[in-house]
Amino acid sequence: MDIRLALMSGIDIPIPECQLTCTPPKIREIAFLGEQTFFSGLQYLCIKKEQLNQDKSIPSETTNFQIFKMVMDSKEAADKKINVQQVLTLCFPKYKVMFTPRALVFNLDKQNFIVDENNFDFFQSYFEQIFCLGGKAEEKFNPANAAAQKIADKIMRGRRIVAEQKRAENGNQNVSILSQYTSILSVGLHIPLQDLLDLTIYQLYDLVERYRLWAAWDIDTR
């Protein structure tokens, strides 16, 4: 489904395959949760089988949902599970979110909506679009061994969160990428900072990209 206009509008995004409606959080709401917590939870929600270097220790029939559950069920991943729970609560404020052994359960008005093996890939696909994570699935984790626990451990050790990857690109691990983007746009486009904090990630990233293109054109013209 083409949801680019909906994302640019900042409206709620239906996920029909899961019978859910996601409310893309604004930058100020992410700030309340914490940028590191947010991107950490988002990383594990969008984990893909392709992120593992496949070998004989990982069955080819392993699904994205099974990988996700391996991490969430690991004792060492208790903090990651909390981050995921907080991200889901932020993105689905009308629902009560629960983890069960075989599914994510979203409760609204005494009705349960299930995300499991059958529709988790659709759920991930929408999240990748909503939070501009295209291409992240191509990044590789190091191979793990056969035990599910060790797979989970390897995943958690294999990569840093998305925000830290972006910070590394800037050569400063202490920089908040979202605060940096809002600051640049506020100065460059003369938009009040408070207005920028009401944008979603999709809107913010789109403005940043447009501003970069304009700046490059302006430099060439000058």
Side-chain angles (χ1 to χ4, degrees):
M1 184 180 296
D2 185 353
I3 59 173
R4 288 173 294 177
L5 179 58
L7 290 171
M8 199 62 188
S9 302
I11 62 175
D12 289 357
I13 305 297
I15 307 178
E17 294 84 356
C18 304
Q19 297 182 296
L20 296 172
T21 300
C22 176
T23 302
K26 302 180 185 303
I27 302 302
R28 64 173 73 251
E29 294 170 333
I30 295 173
F32 182 80
L33 179 62
E35 187 173 333
Q36 184 171 344
T37 296
F38 175 78
F39 280 114
S40 176
L42 189 61
Q43 179 192 20
Y44 291 101
L45 278 168
C46 294
I47 196 168
K48 291 293 187 69
K49 178 173 61 175
E50 291 78 11
Q51 291 171 317
L52 298 170
N53 289 331
Q54 294 297 312
D55 59 24
K56 296 180 180 179
S57 66
I58 304 172
S60 59
E61 64 272 15
T62 301
T63 66
N64 293 332
F65 186 74
Q66 288 171 342
I67 295 293
F68 171 73
K69 287 296 293 177
M70 287 176 190
V71 177
M72 293 298 99
D73 294 340
S74 168
K75 292 181 180 179
E76 289 77 8
D79 59 330
K80 309 301 180 185
K81 187 173 182 178
I82 292 173
N83 292 347
V84 168
Q85 178 89 39
Q86 290 178 320
V87 169
L88 290 174
T89 300
L90 183 64
C91 296
F92 299 92
K94 298 178 182 179
Y95 300 82
K96 180 180 179 181
V97 184
M98 298 171 287
F99 288 79
T100 71
R102 295 188 177 183
L104 289 171
V105 179
F106 296 77
N107 180 271
L108 177 64
D109 297 331
K110 298 182 179 180
Q111 185 174 1
N112 289 332
F113 302 92
I114 305 299
V115 175
D116 59 12
E117 296 251 8
N118 299 313
N119 56 12
F120 187 67
D121 286 354
F122 291 107
F123 183 86
Q124 287 186 320
S125 177
Y126 276 89
F127 257 55
E128 288 168 2
Q129 295 181 71
I130 292 169
F131 297 109
C132 304
L133 298 178
K136 291 298 177 185
E138 314 234 336
E139 296 179 0
K140 303 297 184 181
F141 286 108
N142 291 327
N145 66 30
Q149 182 63 57
K150 291 186 178 180
I151 291 177
D153 291 344
K154 198 72 173 183
I155 290 170
M156 287 187 288
R157 291 196 302 267
R159 297 294 273 161
R160 300 186 68 81
I161 62 174
V162 175
E164 291 175 331
Q165 294 170 0
K166 291 181 178 293
R167 291 168 192 158
E169 292 172 3
N170 294 323
N172 188 343
Q173 295 292 331
N174 295 318
V175 172
S176 162
I177 191 66
L178 297 181
S179 65
Q180 189 176 65
Y181 279 0
T182 52
S183 177
I184 291 171
L185 291 178
S186 182
V187 173
L189 300 179
H190 308 289
I191 300 175
L193 180 61
Q194 294 303 315
D195 291 347
L196 291 169
L197 294 176
D198 284 326
L199 297 177
T200 66
I201 282 185
Y202 185 94
Q203 293 169 326
L204 180 68
Y205 284 8
D206 184 83
L207 280 179
V208 169
E209 181 60 24
R210 297 295 177 183
Y211 180 66
R212 284 175 174 169
L213 291 172
W214 174 86
W217 170 85
D218 187 57
I219 290 172
D220 288 341
T221 302
R222 290 177 186 277

